[in-house]
Amino acid sequence: MQEKHIDLERIRADVKKRIEAAVPEANINYCLTCGLCASGCPATGLEDMDPRKFLRLLVLGQDKEILETDWIYSCTMCQRCRYACPMAIDVGRIVYEIRGMRPREERPKNLQRSCDLQRQNNSTGIPNEDFVWVVGDVLEEVREAEPQWKDLQAPVDKKGATYYLNQNAKEPTVEPEEMVPLWKILHAAGIDWTYSSEWWDGANYCLFTGDPEDWEYTVRKQAEVVDALGCRYYINTE
Ligand code: SF4
Ligand code: SF4
């Protein structure tokens, strides 16, 4: 485990009490230590941790270990543990809260940076004009290279479109061709849709940092765009 210097006093840690208050349905005191959660968890064994061990540390008040383990970033929050657990303890939900307790400067830098950038518009920081340009450029390439898709559409800021679609920012940035299969599916299905030229990034890294306020802020900004365009439905691709 990498050495960290988390100031427990500063974050007033009594992690167990805080979890009990934030996630009262978690029933952490009812854990039977049976290990069923660990048996199906994709993060078992990473960082020398698993959900059963993580929960024991929490119940036994081992705040330092709980706050310092990077295992919380290996948990996918898939909730397999919750469905395997005879006491329905949701370790993924607890992990989310623990992530939010980590001081910002002690979180994985790339993750926090992506969340900070997303609060400004998108998690990669590319200008909106570049996103619009890449969409147009890729569309043109497909129309030229694949005559059967000569009528393919990838609209941006189309007022009154039925569906608003957001986009993982990584794709227009590093693998733009990955946007095309969904365009084709929507086209084949006759769906009336649009991207927006602002707040178009659907990958919300503020969920992964455990910051509900940042997460809500970015989702609300997207909802404002959907309303301004007059779209009826919001499709979140992430
Ligand atoms: S939510 Fe986390 S702890 Fe639970 S099974 Fe998924 S990865 Fe494991
Ligand atoms: S499955 Fe539930 S009861 Fe069993 S060890 Fe995991 S959290 Fe505890």
Side-chain angles (χ1 to χ4, degrees), residues 65-238:
E65 284 79 359
I66 284 288
L67 288 167
E68 290 190 352
T69 176
D70 282 340
W71 182 78
I72 56 176
Y73 300 104
S74 299
C75 167
T76 62
M77 293 191 273
C78 65
Q79 294 194 308
R80 286 182 75 169
C81 50
R82 187 215 178 292
Y83 291 104
C85 174
M87 309 310 284
I89 297 172
D90 188 345
V91 180
R93 178 73 181 80
I94 294 168
V95 163
Y96 173 78
E97 292 294 328
I98 303 284
R99 287 184 188 182
M101 289 181 200
R102 272 261 189 121
R104 292 173 92 86
E105 63 275 18
E106 296 289 351
R107 297 173 185 168
K109 288 191 171 31
N110 285 348
L111 195 58
Q112 188 59 52
R113 182 171 177 273
S114 296
C115 172
D116 292 342
L117 282 171
Q118 195 149 21
R119 272 193 67 97
Q120 297 165 38
N121 201 294
N122 73 78
S123 58
T124 62
I126 66 166
N128 288 332
E129 310 85 68
D130 289 10
F131 168 65
V132 175
W133 184 86
V134 168
V135 168
D137 189 55
V138 172
L139 179 66
E140 203 177 301
E141 272 181 24
V142 175
R143 284 174 169 173
E144 280 176 16
E146 304 175 50
Q148 69 274 35
W149 292 104
K150 65 180 173 28
D151 297 324
L152 187 68
Q153 303 291 320
V156 180
D157 292 337
K158 182 182 174 188
K159 289 266 184 192
T162 308
Y163 290 88
Y164 160 84
L165 180 77
N166 62 24
Q167 177 67 59
N168 182 324
K170 191 162 69 96
E171 289 169 358
T173 313
V174 296
E175 44 193 20
E177 67 285 353
E178 291 296 315
M179 298 187 288
V180 178
L182 185 53
W183 299 351
K184 288 180 174 175
I185 290 169
L186 294 169
H187 185 77
I191 301 290
D192 175 29
W193 67 278
T194 188
Y195 285 131
S196 73
S197 57
E198 294 187 321
W199 299 98
W200 46 269
D201 183 3
N204 199 324
Y205 287 92
C206 304
L207 164 64
F208 304 125
T209 55
D211 285 314
E213 284 173 22
D214 289 346
W215 179 18
E216 179 179 341
Y217 175 79
T218 55
V219 171
R220 284 191 181 281
K221 295 307 276 185
Q222 282 200 0
E224 285 171 16
V225 166
V226 178
D227 287 343
L229 288 171
C231 299
R232 188 163 176 200
Y233 300 106
Y234 173 122
I235 303 179
N236 188 350
T237 56
E238 294 302 305

